[in-house]
Every structure is written in C-alpha cells, then in structure tokens.
Amino acid sequence: MKFEVTILGSSSATPIFNRNPTSQALNINEKLYLIDCGEGTQQQMLKFDVKASRIEHVFISHLHGDHYLGLIGLLSSMHLNGRIKPISIYCPPQLKEIIDLQLKYSDTELQYAVNYKFTNTETAEVILENQDVTVETIPLDHRMPCTGFLFREKKRMRKLIKEKVEELKIPVEFYSALKKGLDYTAPNGRIYKSTDLSIDSDEPKTYAYCSDTIYNEMYFKQISNADLLYHEATFLNNMLDRAVETRHTTALQAGEIAIKTHAKKLLIGHFSARYKTLNELLDEARSVFPLTDLAIEGRIFNIGE
C-alpha cells in the first residue's frame, strides 16, 4: 500500500526564494490528504503534480497565516474547476468563520459541500477513521492553539499466494475469507489453512506531523515509535532564546525529540527565512539523530522505508 508524503512548502512565517510556507500532501493507498495549506500551495500542487481533485481531507494545524492562507484560494479553484465532491476540513473552529466571511464578500457559493470537524487542542482525539487510516490530533504547545496530526495505517488483509490457490482450484468467492485469516474447507472435507495459502501483510506504518511547538515532552508518548516523524525546526540552537520566545523548536531539539520518542526517521521543516541554505540545520539535527532529512519542496518520502 502506498504511504508517502510530498513536501509542498517548508518555510516558516514568510516565503523566500525556493521555499513556500508549510504544506504537505500525504498519499495513502492513492487517496490524498492535504496537511496545512500555506500561501502558494496551489502553485506547488501544479508544479509537483498533486491533483486537487483527489483531495478529500484537509488538516489545518492552527491559524497562523503560513499554515492556512492558501486554503480559500484552493477551495475557490476547486469550485471554478467544477468540483461537486464534498471535502472535509479538520481545523480550529474559527477557520470556518474566516472561510465563510471570504466566500460571503466574494459573493461565492461553493457547488460542493465543505464538512468541518473542529479540533480540540487540549486532548488528543481520533478525528478520522476509514479503511486505510486512523488520524489523531496531537496537542502541541505554541503561541496559539495548535495541533499536530498522527496518521496510523490500518492493518491490511493477508496476501494470497496466487500459485497455491490456483493450483488447488479454490473458488474466487473464498479468497476474501482466506485474506481475513479463515481456513478453506474443500468439498472432500480437507482443510487448507489460511497461513499456508497466504502471507501476512506488512506491519502498519505511522506518520507523525508535529507543526509549530516549543520543546515540550507532553506529546512525546503519543508520537513514540513513528516510522517517520516530521518536526518543525525553525531555528538553529544558537537562537534558542528566540525559539523559546516564539514557542518554536530548534534543529538540535528536533533531533533530541526523535531520539526520545524512538522515531525511525526524522524530517525537519518550517525553516526560518533567515536561513538561505539549510545545511547547518541538517547538520545540527544529524549531530544527535543521524537519520534526519530536510523537508525539501518537491521531495517525496516513502514512510517506513
């Protein structure tokens, strides 16, 4: 099953050349989930071939503009392009008021439904569950109410060993039961075990998206053992005082968080515009957690590999 994230934006409060504000597109079994939607996200989607028509769920971490100012434009373009399929937005409750006001004064009535699910920044909760994934909020500690999002793959059914089931001429209508772990009883009474005719599916993977937050261990347990941990790393550690003042994290701290939460791999982003190049941030995080990578725009990361 595909489980990968495409980086659309990696800058913090302001865009700079080659870096747009935060946004990511998560592909889970060929279904797209948009995580944050900073200014310029539409252009990035066009550039990196992320189809807006395939997005059914949008997750907004908080209401600082670099995380949502691209959303009204995206919703409007979907309307102009003839979308009729509903879209769900998981966000702070005030975002609905902001979107409604912009639609009102632009005299726009969307021809598709927007379903809002308001996030709770005090307590982690499941906000979405379908056949592919469970999504939980991660309460964070920022200058305003903010959540991250934890994506957990659902365990897939077993995989049939095609050659064996065909050799035994097992009817197709029994395939689903075998995938679920049930044994097959032939007309002559012989029992064929599911474990002999199929193999177990891969272990489910997790992606933890930690948006803006100061270093705070309150969320560490929830994100433990993530296959891929995305964590903001706005500043180098020589600007720790500024990070504390603005309630952000440094690259060194992001590496320490990855160690303490037993992450398998770390992805850092939300870089301050003061950094024209990112090598220092990468080196600092890698000094404590070597399996660190940069959230470079256009890059695709396969979760669990």
Side-chain angles (χ1 to χ4, degrees):
M1 184 173 87
K2 184 171 286 188
F3 193 22
E4 64 184 27
V5 61
T6 300
I7 307 303
L8 301 176
S10 63
S11 189
S12 57
T14 59
I16 67 168
F17 180 70
N18 281 341
R19 293 209 305 269
N20 282 15
T22 299
S23 186
Q24 300 181 5
L26 187 62
N27 184 329
I28 305 176
N29 201 22
E30 298 301 344
K31 296 174 184 175
L32 295 186
Y33 302 75
L34 186 66
I35 311 172
D36 278 333
C37 189
E39 182 183 357
T41 294
Q42 283 192 84
Q43 290 283 12
Q44 296 293 83
M45 290 169 64
L46 292 170
K47 182 176 180 180
F48 301 122
D49 196 30
V50 175
K51 300 289 192 298
S53 60
R54 294 175 55 201
I55 295 172
E56 296 183 17
H57 303 278
V58 178
F59 301 85
I60 302 297
S61 61
H62 66 296
L63 294 184
H64 278 150
D66 53 318
H67 294 262
Y68 82 90
L69 283 178
L71 184 57
I72 185 63
L74 178 61
L75 295 176
S76 298
S77 292
M78 289 175 172
H79 166 74
L80 293 172
N81 289 330
R83 183 185 182 109
I84 58 173
K85 181 170 57 176
I87 193 167
S88 296
I89 301 178
Y90 307 81
C91 62
Q94 297 86 350
L95 184 58
K96 182 180 186 302
E97 179 183 355
I98 294 169
I99 297 297
D100 287 347
L101 193 64
Q102 293 181 83
L103 294 174
K104 175 182 177 181
Y105 287 108
S106 66
D107 192 24
T108 301
E109 184 175 347
L110 300 179
Q111 60 183 342
Y112 58 91
V114 178
N115 302 314
Y116 290 93
K117 167 69 176 179
F118 300 135
T119 50
N120 180 348
T121 59
E122 300 296 326
T123 306
E125 61 181 5
V126 174
I127 54 174
L128 173 65
E129 185 170 4
N130 57 32
Q131 65 180 7
D132 296 316
V133 67
T134 299
V135 186
E136 303 172 15
T137 52
I138 306 169
L140 299 174
D141 185 0
H142 191 40
R143 289 187 293 123
M144 68 183 323
C146 182
T147 67
F149 302 100
L150 182 63
F151 297 82
R152 299 183 188 272
E153 272 187 318
K154 288 284 190 71
K155 177 73 173 175
R156 309 298 288 178
M157 291 193 294
R158 298 178 64 84
K159 301 175 185 178
L160 293 183
I161 303 173
K162 186 178 179 181
E163 298 78 10
K164 287 189 176 181
V165 294
E166 289 181 348
E167 180 183 346
L168 295 170
K169 296 182 170 55
I170 295 175
V172 174
E173 56 264 30
F174 290 97
Y175 285 8
S176 179
L178 286 168
K179 290 179 181 179
K180 293 176 182 177
L182 301 176
D183 299 334
Y184 168 68
T185 303
N188 62 8
R190 182 172 179 180
I191 297 175
Y192 295 91
K193 291 187 173 297
S194 169
T195 51
D196 294 331
L197 301 176
S198 63
I199 58 175
D200 198 11
S201 59
D202 296 334
E203 283 301 306
K205 307 298 192 299
T206 59
Y207 178 51
Y209 174 86
C210 293
S211 181
D212 300 15
T213 184
I214 195 171
Y215 182 101
N216 187 328
E217 295 190 2
M218 69 179 188
Y219 58 93
F220 285 13
K221 182 177 180 181
Q222 186 184 3
I223 66 171
S224 62
N225 300 304
D227 291 278
L228 179 61
L229 167 63
Y230 167 83
H231 203 286
E232 71 121 296
T234 308
F235 300 107
L236 288 169
N237 209 59
N238 60 13
M239 296 196 68
L240 180 59
D241 289 346
R242 179 62 176 163
V244 171
E245 178 187 356
T246 58
R247 305 196 79 76
H248 282 297
T249 305
T250 69
L252 185 71
Q253 289 176 322
E256 292 170 344
I257 291 167
I259 289 177
K260 289 186 176 182
T261 62
H262 309 288
K264 295 180 177 64
K265 186 172 181 180
L266 172 65
L267 191 59
I268 57 173
H270 198 263
F271 309 115
S272 169
R274 74 184 65 241
Y275 303 114
K276 307 308 178 187
T277 62
L278 303 174
N279 290 339
E280 286 183 282
L281 290 149
L282 180 61
D283 290 344
E284 184 171 277
R286 283 182 172 176
S287 71
V288 291
F289 190 80
L291 293 177
T292 302
D293 220 328
L294 295 170
I296 298 295
E297 296 173 23
R299 288 195 65 186
I300 298 174
F301 295 90
N302 291 311
I303 297 162
E305 292 186 2

